[in-house]
Amino acid sequence: MATTVMEPAVRARITLPVEGMTCAACQATVQKALQRQPGVLDAAVNLMMKSAAVTYDPALVRPEALVDAIRETGYEAELPRPEQTAFEEQEARDRAQEAEFRGLRRKALVSGAAGVVAMLLSMPLMSVMTAGDHTAHSAPGNTVGAPFMRWAMEPLTPALRAATPWLYRIPPAVLSWSLLVLTLGVMAWAGRRFYVRAWAGLRHRSADMNTLVAVGTGAAFLYSVLATVAPGFFLSRGVPADVYYEAVVIIIALILTGNALEARAKSRTSAALRSLVALQPRTARVQRGAEEGSEVDVPVEQVASGDVVVVRPGERLPVDGEVLSGGSAVDESMLTGESMPVEKQPGDRVIGGTINRTGAFRYRATNLGADSVLAQIVRLMRDAQSSRAPIQKLADRISGIFVPVVIGLAVVTFVVWFLAADTAPAVRAFAAAVAVLIIACPCAMGLAVPTAVMVATGRGAELGILIKGGEALQRAGDVTTVVLDKTGTVTEGMPDVTDVLPAPGAPRGADELLRLVASLEGSSEHPLADALVRKARHRGLALAPVEGFQSITGLGAVGVVEGSFVAVGNEKLMHEYAADVAPLQADAERLAGEGKTPVYAAVDGALAGLLAVADPIKPSSLEAIARLRRMGLDVVLLTGDNRRTAAAVARQAGIGRVVAEVLPDGKVAEVQRLQQEGAGVAMVGDGVNDAPALAQADVGIAIGTGTDVAVEASDVTLMRGDPRGVATAIALSRRTMRTMKENLFWAFVYNVIGIPVAAGVLYPVFGMLLSPILASAAMALSSVSVVTNSLRLRRARLG
């Protein structure tokens, strides 16, 4: 019997800050803990953003329970502060990132200096070798049999002895105890984070990068303590009583150095988001009182809806609003990517964060706080950067079992070396096992995908392209067919009436026909209706009131004007109301062949005339479509307009495939048909009339205007009405996917190659072994290289 899964009536979403995650295994542990909670529908944990985005059923689980679930895994979490704005949250995150970097840098520098001291103190101990294994200790190619880095400094021994004779007069036991105290101090201060988090993971039966570092360095430290406290135990068995304190200190120093470099590189991935937050001015000049000169500067948080804001040349607009008086050219490039300033006059909308270039003007504040355009963009970017690309699942599956497998490999490595080594088997086995633990840190795997998503979404925002997350970013790279709506996408979306032709024998002339039609269309929101109304008003025609207005989707509109029933629309609408279009059909076909949209008008069931509306092609459409075709994409023009008009527009724009005269549900059906043929479909439209098709497509791309930034049906929003952004968005997705795959490839290959080398597979043939110190340096380098590779997206050429 099939089980029916009931969808919750209400869904809630919360983003929880999570501290303590350092690698992909940490991320996987937190995510599994959240997904096990009853009522959790989806959980996406982001290592880069240190957050967990959870979709849940509030009837079954409360946010406090989610926080407790995270804390039970050994990581810190808390509920977000509701009073904190997106700007304040980002500023707090920036401060935390900077503090983290400074702390890691300080600890790396101090532990690095302690490592140098530890190596110097270790040099005199080289002369105290009693097991007859001098060759094993001094050969540079054999770095396991000796204290891990002393072979590299051995050529300097005569010079060091001459420069510091007092150092060689210190008893070996004193040196060993001094090294013990120094190492213990470094572990307790600089390396404390590794051991505390590893212990927390052990208590909660999980393992991560901290486990590997803690086990590796902890084992080296305990071995050295035994050699210091009871050297006779080793010497009686023919094993040198070497200590590895300097290895522990230098490993910690190198890992912290890698973490510091990684923290600095990760902070650069949020550069685009920080630049958006920086657009928010701290104060606003507000008019207080009835007189224009009564102006005061107030914190931007104190601006109220309806306040009159005064802006002078060169100033940044503090809030969204509508221009009341004055005029200027406003630079909106940081929000829309549009390089040319936009002229603003009374009645125009302005966006907070943009720059007033030339004139001064006054405007009324409208959208404030979380409702402002800038706040919406910041929120969309934060959500996008916190999201996960589907390709991340591969890294998650591996990370979930990675650490236990590595610990098992380290144990096998120890056993094999202990049984096979002919000299100092315990020392060789121990060093090889530690090298395996240290080199196998899964940090690079955890950073491979989220770093690329963060940089790519930031890069897109700089270009006026808002991408709603990693999944949309990945799907855009798989697009093979781009479906373009005509009006407002390929064309300007500002049509103009070019012809008014009364029907032969009709009692009304051109102006009277236009007046009746415009009176009816004044109640419509269609772009063609707006063109008809503008034309009538331009000619000074007085519009009449309408009764019983009805908009018929895909056909036109009907209503009663001055006692006459008026129908305005396409040929199908005329047929429904028994109006014979034959007298003007030839004219309609001629106008359609010229790229104009013919609009019929009927009064009381009789054909009254024909009007033609032309919507010019955007200058950028030709270049955009040419770019899409060069990228190997199929381009389709999909419109509800007349077939001949659509064909003429497609011909001018360079589009070979046209689907015309389709209603909104027909657009959805066409997208479905393309998908059934195996195409990855990107639908491009205005985000309102085309919402069903945008939602159906694999990737919905909404053409925005710089103010409508939250089109729910779309995956990608172009902040300006430039179709070239479609090609740029797809190119960015393809480049990002290539970067993700490169990151994952090198992260996997690094471990596939590094772990066997650390285990000693090259020793039988080449006599080469990898010291734990070199392993820690390689581990740190792998994480930094992944982040650096992702940062290349900031400079990627997408043209």
Side-chain angles (χ1 to χ4, degrees):
M1 181 175 177
T3 302
T4 303
V5 179
M6 298 294 293
E7 284 292 322
V10 179
R11 289 170 176 253
R13 181 179 170 86
I14 189 172
T15 300
L16 303 171
V18 182
E19 293 296 331
M21 297 188 298
T22 53
C23 67
C26 310
Q27 175 182 285
T29 298
V30 174
Q31 184 158 309
K32 287 178 181 177
L34 288 170
Q35 290 173 336
R36 283 196 296 265
Q37 296 302 304
V40 170
L41 306 174
D42 183 50
V45 180
N46 190 292
L47 177 62
M48 286 289 297
M49 299 292 289
K50 296 183 178 179
S51 65
V54 186
T55 303
Y56 64 97
D57 182 352
L60 297 177
V61 64
R62 296 177 58 82
E64 292 81 2
L66 301 176
V67 171
D68 292 340
I70 296 174
R71 288 175 176 170
E72 287 175 4
T73 63
Y75 302 95
E76 288 300 316
E78 60 182 11
L79 292 174
R81 291 191 294 169
E83 71 278 4
Q84 196 174 41
T85 67
F87 305 108
E88 292 170 338
E89 187 178 352
Q90 183 59 36
E91 289 171 350
R93 184 176 294 276
D94 291 342
R95 288 193 298 270
Q97 283 185 330
E98 184 61 28
E100 180 188 24
F101 168 69
R102 288 198 302 268
L104 288 169
R105 181 179 60 184
R106 181 171 62 253
K107 290 181 178 181
L109 290 173
V110 172
S111 55
V116 173
V117 172
M119 282 197 296
L120 290 174
L121 294 179
S122 298
M123 293 305 296
L125 297 179
M126 288 186 61
S127 60
V128 189
M129 293 182 292
T130 59
D133 193 28
H134 186 279
T135 301
H137 278 65
S138 59
N142 185 5
T143 62
V144 171
F148 299 136
M149 284 293 284
R150 292 177 207 165
W151 64 266
M153 295 187 65
E154 189 172 357
L156 302 177
T157 300
L160 288 172
R161 183 185 290 271
T164 57
W166 57 270
L167 186 62
Y168 286 79
R169 290 196 290 270
I170 298 176
V174 173
L175 289 173
S176 294
W177 281 97
S178 299
L179 283 167
L180 189 156
V181 172
L182 176 65
T183 305
L184 188 61
V186 170
M187 293 173 71
W189 178 65
R192 181 176 181 273
R193 54 190 268 153
F194 303 123
Y195 306 106
V196 170
R197 292 172 182 174
W199 174 248
L202 178 63
R203 286 191 297 111
H204 295 94
R205 296 187 297 278
S206 64
D208 55 25
M209 179 207 81
N210 301 294
T211 306
L212 299 180
V213 175
V215 170
T217 57
F221 178 74
L222 292 176
Y223 184 96
S224 301
V225 169
L226 287 175
T228 300
V229 174
F233 174 82
F234 296 90
L235 298 176
S236 64
R237 289 164 174 76
V239 177
D242 275 328
V243 292
Y244 302 101
Y245 296 119
E246 85 283 6
V248 174
V249 175
I250 293 174
I251 287 172
I252 291 174
L254 286 172
I255 293 174
L256 288 172
T257 299
N259 289 347
L261 293 173
E262 181 184 308
R264 172 56 71 192
K266 285 195 293 187
S267 70
R268 292 170 59 196
T269 64
S270 300
L273 193 52
R274 282 196 298 274
S275 68
L276 281 176
V277 173
L279 296 179
Q280 175 73 58
R282 300 293 182 183
T283 61
R285 185 177 297 107
V286 179
Q287 180 179 312
R288 296 299 192 199
E291 298 181 4
E292 289 194 14
S294 55
E295 302 166 1
V296 294
D297 288 340
V298 300
V300 71
E301 295 83 6
Q302 295 181 14
V303 178
S305 181
D307 278 348
V308 177
V309 181
V310 181
V311 183
R312 298 193 176 104
E315 293 182 340
R316 198 177 289 278
L317 278 64
V319 295
D320 297 357
E322 182 178 325
V323 178
L324 294 175
S325 63
S328 181
V330 177
D331 181 356
E332 299 180 343
S333 59
M334 285 301 294
L335 293 177
T336 66
E338 178 60 67
S339 58
M340 294 297 293
V342 181
E343 291 293 332
K344 298 294 182 180
Q345 300 296 332
D348 291 340
R349 294 193 63 188
V350 290
I351 307 171
T354 56
I355 301 173
N356 179 31
R357 285 300 184 197
T358 54
F361 61 91
R362 298 162 59 247
Y363 72 97
R364 179 182 293 108
T366 54
N367 298 331
L368 303 172
D371 295 327
S372 69
V373 170
L374 184 58
Q376 289 184 54
I377 294 173
V378 170
R379 185 174 64 251
L380 284 171
M381 280 195 61
R382 288 294 302 273
D383 290 346
Q385 294 187 340
S386 299
S387 67
R388 295 156 52 82
I391 196 174
Q392 177 71 41
K393 294 178 182 178
L394 174 62
D396 290 347
R397 285 197 295 269
I398 295 176
S399 300
I401 60 171
F402 187 80
V403 173
V405 168
V406 168
I407 293 175
L409 289 174
V411 172
V412 172
T413 299
F414 181 91
V415 171
V416 170
W417 272 101
F418 187 81
L419 297 176
D422 52 354
T423 57
V427 176
R428 291 175 179 269
F430 171 73
V434 170
V436 169
L437 290 171
I438 297 298
I439 203 169
C441 171
C443 290
M445 280 188 288
L447 297 170
V449 174
T451 53
V453 171
M454 287 188 69
V455 178
T457 51
R459 173 69 167 146
E462 291 173 354
L463 298 171
I465 302 168
L466 294 182
I467 303 170
K468 293 187 178 178
E471 185 174 355
L473 189 65
Q474 180 168 336
R475 288 203 310 266
D478 297 328
V479 165
T480 58
T481 300
V482 177
V483 179
L484 300 171
D485 176 49
K486 182 178 75 69
T487 304
T489 302
V490 176
T491 62
E492 292 284 3
M494 289 292 291
D496 186 33
V497 178
T498 59
D499 300 86
V500 181
L501 306 176
R508 295 174 177 83
D511 282 355
E512 180 63 13
L513 173 63
L514 178 60
R515 189 183 72 85
L516 276 178
V517 169
S519 297
L520 174 68
E521 295 289 5
S523 300
S524 174
E525 295 182 354
H526 195 280
L528 297 184
D530 185 53
L532 292 164
V533 173
R534 283 200 318 272
K535 191 69 170 181
R537 286 175 175 165
H538 179 70
R539 292 189 180 183
L541 304 177
L543 303 187
V546 180
E547 297 177 4
F549 174 84
Q550 182 182 0
S551 177
I552 304 174
T553 304
L555 299 179
V558 297
V560 177
V561 181
E562 297 178 340
S564 298
F565 183 81
V566 180
V568 178
N570 58 23
E571 187 175 340
K572 291 181 181 178
L573 183 67
M574 296 298 105
H575 290 325
E576 286 203 13
Y577 290 93
D580 183 12
V581 299
L584 292 174
Q585 193 161 21
D587 291 301
E589 292 178 358
R590 172 181 58 82
L591 293 170
E594 295 172 2
K596 301 174 183 178
T597 300
V599 179
Y600 290 100
V603 179
D604 293 329
L607 183 67
L610 176 70
L611 303 92
V613 181
D615 188 7
I617 292 177
K618 293 178 182 178
S620 56
S621 291
L622 295 174
E623 181 184 342
I625 292 163
R627 279 185 60 190
L628 292 171
R629 296 181 69 175
R630 285 197 302 270
M631 293 168 66
L633 298 166
D634 294 327
V635 182
V636 179
L637 185 67
L638 183 61
T639 178
D641 208 344
N642 177 281
R643 240 184 212 90
R644 294 196 58 166
T645 302
V649 171
R651 188 166 54 251
Q652 295 173 38
I655 301 175
R657 187 174 176 182
V658 182
V659 180
E661 299 181 1
V662 289
L663 302 178
D665 57 346
K667 292 184 178 183
V668 173
E670 178 63 20
V671 170
Q672 291 174 332
R673 191 183 64 78
L674 290 169
Q675 291 172 327
Q676 290 168 1
E677 292 176 356
V681 180
M683 175 68 197
V684 187
D686 62 12
V688 179
N689 296 329
D690 301 302
L694 288 169
Q696 174 62 42
D698 298 291
V699 181
I701 302 178
I703 297 286
T705 62
T707 55
D708 182 17
V709 298
V711 184
E712 293 296 331
S714 68
D715 303 298
V716 179
T717 300
L718 306 184
M719 294 288 289
R720 48 181 168 149
D722 189 344
R724 289 177 295 188
V726 178
T728 302
I730 294 174
L732 176 61
S733 172
R734 290 180 174 181
R735 182 66 181 267
T736 304
M737 288 306 301
R738 187 160 70 243
T739 299
M740 289 180 186
K741 290 173 182 177
E742 289 171 355
N743 287 347
L744 288 172
F745 173 79
W746 289 113
F748 292 151
V749 167
Y750 162 81
N751 283 291
V752 168
I753 295 176
I755 292 175
V757 170
V761 296
L762 298 181
Y763 184 78
V765 179
F766 301 102
M768 292 176 57
L769 292 170
L770 186 68
S771 81
I773 287 180
L774 294 179
S776 64
M779 182 271 286
L781 182 62
S782 70
S783 298
V784 175
S785 64
V786 163
V787 179
T788 303
N789 189 45
S790 294
L791 285 170
R792 292 170 56 219
L793 288 168
R794 293 173 62 186
R795 300 182 300 275
R797 295 186 62 183
L798 305 172

